[in-house]
Amino acid sequence: MHFSKLFANELNEQETRYFILDTKGADPQHGDVDFIKYRWQTNKFGLVRTGDLFLYRRPGKASETNKFYFFGAGKVGSIKLLEPRESKRVEAEITSPYPFTSFIHPGDLEFFNWEFKDRKEGTWEHFFNQYGMNQIKKADFMAILKMSGFESNLYYDNLAATQAVQSIQKQNYYVEDEMGEAPRRSKQGVFSSVVKNNYQNSCGLCGLSTSSLLVGSHIVPWSKDKSSRLDPSNGISLCVLHDKLFDQGLISFDNSLRLKVSSLIKRDAVLKGLVLGIRRKKLKKPKVASPRPEYLEYHRENIFKK
């Protein structure tokens, strides 16, 4: 569902407020669960009300990239006061969850014109509130949403995408076959976004970092193993050229993540020139979810054309 429909009532309501909420993900100590519930202390930040809209931000200290990024949006549902009451700690139900199909990183926002606050050029220091909650303008909220991939995604199912987010955080990577095209593509989109994020939003082989040219590529194909479909360690971030070569079995990786090149490459002089120059190059190892050896072995044995 497009965000203009999902948030239609709130976007047309003048009283709606807009926020950025920082979250560390599934955080048992703090009590937050992405797209499910969010906690804060009203004596530190008491502006959020039921019906308000927000953007999710992962702060740098909790990020796989060591830098902040925006990864979703939602609506604040019912808010309840937690015990002990004197702590002024509250918990909000998150409704209308909307995981982003493309995460938004600092580099994407270098020339972004925020309306809620002026940013000093070249730095994000002291820009976001230290309590992890910022009130922003409607224009900021809408502009970030339009950057997140919704406009061009005709198959987006926000509920299926939310299920994929929760499954990955719970390390339950199984996905059944029986679903429509929109849910399947939405879950695949979440997987791809997570994988690309793990590789610092660049090709793990050549370093290309243009977001539109990156793919979170499955090692064991989606069609071959239901139990690993959402496993981030079954993915590699590759540019479109290297993704296609990997998918077609013209390149692979050994267990030390060193590149292997098919002998078929030599049949195309142009392709040979592009690929043989990086032969034996090692894949950049991500901070989290490095490729599992058994997945790489499957690719070498069943897909790679020696």
Side-chain angles (χ1 to χ4, degrees):
M1 183 184 296
H2 193 276
F3 69 82
S4 62
K5 293 182 179 180
L6 185 65
F7 302 134
N9 293 335
E10 292 74 28
L11 292 173
N12 290 325
E13 175 56 61
Q14 290 187 350
E15 297 301 314
T16 300
R17 297 177 180 179
Y18 301 87
F19 297 91
I20 296 171
L21 304 183
D22 284 2
T23 170
K24 297 179 180 179
D27 184 1
Q29 182 177 1
H30 190 267
D32 293 345
V33 180
D34 291 345
F35 302 106
I36 299 294
K37 59 182 180 179
Y38 189 83
R39 292 181 177 182
W40 71 96
Q41 288 181 261
T42 56
N43 61 333
K44 292 184 177 180
F45 198 90
L47 301 177
V48 180
R49 306 170 300 189
T50 296
D52 289 339
L53 300 179
F54 68 88
L55 302 169
Y56 263 138
R57 188 183 82 109
R58 186 83 74 225
K61 291 182 179 179
S63 167
E64 303 85 350
T65 66
N66 295 321
K67 297 180 180 180
F68 76 83
Y69 59 90
F70 291 94
F71 65 94
K75 184 174 74 172
V76 178
S78 59
I79 301 173
K80 65 179 181 181
L81 184 63
L82 300 174
E83 300 293 345
R85 301 175 70 87
E86 59 270 16
S87 70
K88 299 187 182 298
R89 192 166 179 77
V90 297
E91 177 180 288
E93 174 192 13
I94 303 304
T95 62
S96 304
Y98 222 79
F100 286 173
T101 57
S102 297
F103 295 170
I104 299 172
H105 303 88
D108 302 319
L109 297 167
E110 190 59 36
F111 302 104
F112 187 86
N113 293 316
W114 296 94
E115 288 202 7
F116 85 100
K117 185 178 182 181
D118 291 329
R119 182 174 77 91
K120 185 178 180 180
E121 186 176 352
T123 181
W124 291 96
E125 188 176 6
H126 307 307
F127 184 74
F128 297 109
N129 193 316
Q130 63 177 323
Y131 298 127
M133 304 177 77
N134 293 265
Q135 186 172 7
I136 59 176
K137 300 293 186 180
K138 179 180 180 180
D140 298 326
F141 179 83
M142 295 296 291
I144 293 291
L145 283 181
K146 290 178 180 179
M147 292 175 65
S148 66
F150 297 151
E151 296 293 332
S152 60
N153 194 335
L154 302 178
Y155 295 95
Y156 184 75
D157 183 323
N158 65 299
L159 295 181
T162 303
Q163 290 172 358
V165 170
Q166 297 300 324
S167 294
I168 290 173
Q169 291 190 349
K170 294 176 183 177
Q171 299 183 6
N172 175 19
Y173 306 129
Y174 183 93
V175 177
E176 188 51 80
D177 281 332
E178 298 174 0
M179 68 177 75
E181 185 173 17
R184 175 178 58 79
R185 288 197 181 192
S186 298
K187 292 190 176 188
Q188 289 173 332
V190 167
F191 168 86
S192 181
S193 294
V194 170
V195 170
K196 289 184 289 186
N197 202 54
N198 289 345
Y199 283 79
Q200 308 285 314
N201 309 291
S202 63
C203 175
L205 192 54
C206 70
L208 184 146
S209 59
T210 300
S211 298
S212 61
L213 298 178
L214 295 176
V215 179
S217 184
H218 277 87
I219 303 171
V220 177
W222 175 278
S223 62
K224 299 300 182 182
D225 183 10
K226 298 178 184 180
S227 65
S228 65
R229 286 174 168 172
L230 293 178
D231 186 353
S233 64
N234 185 30
I236 300 173
S237 178
L238 295 170
C239 68
V240 288
L241 172 60
H242 293 134
D243 167 67
K244 197 67 174 180
L245 293 173
F246 188 68
D247 183 61
Q248 294 295 315
L250 296 175
I251 62 172
S252 192
F253 299 92
D254 64 22
N255 285 354
S256 65
L257 304 184
R258 196 171 297 280
L259 181 69
K260 295 175 67 68
V261 178
S262 168
S263 60
L264 299 181
I265 290 286
K266 298 177 182 178
R267 297 181 180 180
D268 186 321
V270 175
L271 190 58
K272 177 181 176 181
L274 290 171
V275 176
L276 293 188
I278 57 172
R279 183 172 48 185
R280 303 293 294 169
K281 183 175 181 179
K282 292 192 72 171
L283 182 75
K284 179 175 68 176
K285 188 174 182 178
K287 179 181 175 181
V288 297
S290 184
R292 290 175 60 178
E294 54 266 42
Y295 295 153
L296 293 173
E297 182 177 358
Y298 178 94
H299 189 273
R300 292 194 302 271
E301 295 299 320
N302 296 279
I303 299 173
F304 183 56
K305 299 177 177 66
K306 298 179 178 62

